[in-house]
Amino acid sequence: MDFAFSGDQQLLKNAARAFLDERCTSAVVRGLWDDPRGESEAMWKDMAQLGWLGLSLPEAYGGSGLGMVETAILLDEMGRAAYPGPYLPTVLAAHAVDSAGTTEQKNRWLPAIATGGARATTAFVDADLAWDPQSTATRAEKVGAGCPRFASWLLRLDNREALLPLLESRFASEPRDHWLGLLAKHDIPAAPVQTMLDFMNDPAVRHLDMSVGYAKVREQFGQPIGSFQAIRHKCAEMLLSVENSHAAVYYAAWALDAKAEDAALAASVAKSYVSEAARHVCGEAIQVHGGIGFTWEYDLHLYMKRAKALEPMYGDADWHREQILRLVPA
């Protein structure tokens, strides 16, 4: 069995890294914090031209017809760059529409996403903070300010009533002037809902790279701190967590592409492990750096915050472990 990327996948990875290294520097990420949108419209359009937004969508809708492995490659590189944009929720919502949407919905929204003309997000969690789609009770209603300001549409998942409503968000001259309307209802199988809970762009790799690099140049007592056993052990444990995370994520992505019987199990294993591993690696990286790791001027906090934000998204580790117990045969 060959676990290496194919030639095309490696080219995708290299191209993504080159683009993000140039266009999504830490200075750009910091600057976007002061932007009300929190993202770059120009970068979004360029990503669309590169084919990233339609990477896993069928060619009939303007996509590239690739799979979850290629999407995971992009997410991996975006995590390394701390990319601040709605790529992940847009891809997840588009995947659900492609899997279970009506022909009208697919024709309307998937080409718009592939060309960068639309963004999307998903509505999973109700007031009781339950991730199970069967617990969804929220209904669409007309509202004022306070709704998502920059998504073109929302996707609400509800397995209990077997519905996949699309909520369209239309904008007037100001983003806050919009209304939400229920567009459609139709049957949805359980599988597309569960596959929405699979991805997490991992900031741990960048933390590991930064820690190893710092340990090589930072000196104490006349020698690099990387020569100290305690620091070497920390870096080795971080590497182990990163490699295990990659193995879990890429196997889950492959399982989804192959429609393997254990795809849902693999997704929950990956999310439960990566959620905690990313936070742990980021915390250890700050320990390796010492006092400088806590400063605002240093980039470590960009990734620590990302890891903490992603940890509960699409089900935290405890929720996915419960799914694992349900999925593993007795």
Side-chain angles (χ1 to χ4, degrees):
M1 182 177 292
D2 185 4
F3 294 98
F5 292 140
S6 68
D8 289 342
Q9 289 170 341
Q10 189 62 51
L11 286 174
L12 173 64
K13 184 178 182 66
N14 294 343
R17 179 164 298 191
F19 175 84
L20 292 167
D21 281 349
E22 178 183 354
R23 298 291 303 280
C24 193
T25 63
S26 61
V28 170
V29 175
R30 291 169 180 267
L32 289 173
W33 283 353
D34 298 324
D35 189 318
R37 296 184 67 95
E39 63 151 332
S40 167
E41 179 70 20
M43 195 184 307
W44 185 261
K45 292 295 186 182
D46 288 342
M47 287 165 57
Q49 291 184 356
L50 290 170
W52 292 5
L53 302 182
L55 193 71
S56 60
L57 295 179
E59 295 181 8
Y61 301 109
S64 301
L66 299 177
M68 293 298 177
V69 172
E70 288 77 15
T71 302
I73 289 172
L74 278 185
L75 289 170
D76 205 11
E77 293 302 317
M78 289 179 183
R80 180 179 177 275
Y83 165 71
Y87 182 82
L88 176 60
T90 296
V91 167
L92 292 179
H95 175 63
V97 173
D98 181 37
S99 299
T102 64
T103 300
E104 180 183 358
Q105 289 168 342
K106 293 178 182 180
N107 288 333
R108 181 173 186 178
W109 290 115
L110 297 186
I113 286 177
T115 58
R119 296 164 174 78
T121 190
T122 54
F124 276 110
V125 184
D126 278 352
D128 61 0
L129 301 181
W131 284 99
D132 189 340
Q134 295 180 358
S135 68
T136 305
T138 301
R139 294 292 179 267
E141 63 181 39
K142 189 175 180 179
V143 296
C147 282
R149 295 177 59 188
F150 305 112
S152 303
W153 49 271
L154 303 173
L155 180 67
R156 182 174 66 82
L157 303 178
D158 190 341
N159 264 9
R160 181 185 54 205
E161 298 182 4
L163 304 178
L164 177 66
L166 290 180
L167 308 178
E168 183 181 13
S169 178
R170 291 185 176 178
F171 307 106
S173 57
E174 296 294 331
R176 69 185 63 181
D177 298 326
H178 65 278
W179 55 268
L180 296 178
L182 188 61
L183 293 183
K185 297 181 179 181
H186 58 87
D187 293 339
I188 174 173
V193 175
Q194 297 305 324
T195 59
M196 300 290 285
L197 307 176
D198 301 331
F199 292 106
M200 178 178 180
N201 45 344
D202 182 6
V205 177
R206 192 58 177 266
H207 259 191
L208 174 61
D209 292 343
M210 294 171 70
S211 296
V212 172
Y214 184 77
K216 290 179 178 179
V217 299
R218 178 70 169 94
E219 292 189 358
Q220 286 186 349
F221 309 109
Q223 55 186 320
I225 63 172
S227 65
F228 301 149
Q229 189 176 56
I231 300 298
R232 292 162 65 183
H233 284 179
K234 281 186 181 295
C235 290
E237 291 173 356
M238 292 162 65
L239 176 61
L240 179 63
S241 294
V242 167
E243 291 299 319
N244 285 344
S245 295
H246 278 160
V249 167
Y250 283 111
Y251 177 78
W254 173 86
L256 289 168
D257 283 340
K259 302 187 185 324
E261 292 183 359
D262 65 343
L265 175 61
S268 284
V269 168
K271 182 57 169 70
S272 62
Y273 185 88
V274 174
S275 294
E276 294 185 340
R279 185 211 343 121
H280 172 73
V281 169
C282 292
E284 290 292 274
I286 291 176
Q287 293 294 320
V288 170
H289 283 75
I292 195 175
F294 290 90
T295 61
W296 182 258
E297 291 77 11
Y298 212 63
D299 287 341
L300 282 176
H301 69 91
L302 298 177
Y303 301 94
M304 184 66 182
K305 291 173 181 175
R306 182 64 57 87
K308 287 297 295 181
L310 289 171
E311 189 173 352
M313 285 181 66
Y314 310 114
D316 60 13
D318 289 341
W319 188 89
H320 279 283
R321 288 193 183 107
E322 291 179 1
Q323 307 313 304
I324 292 169
L325 290 174
R326 295 174 185 174
L327 292 168
V328 173

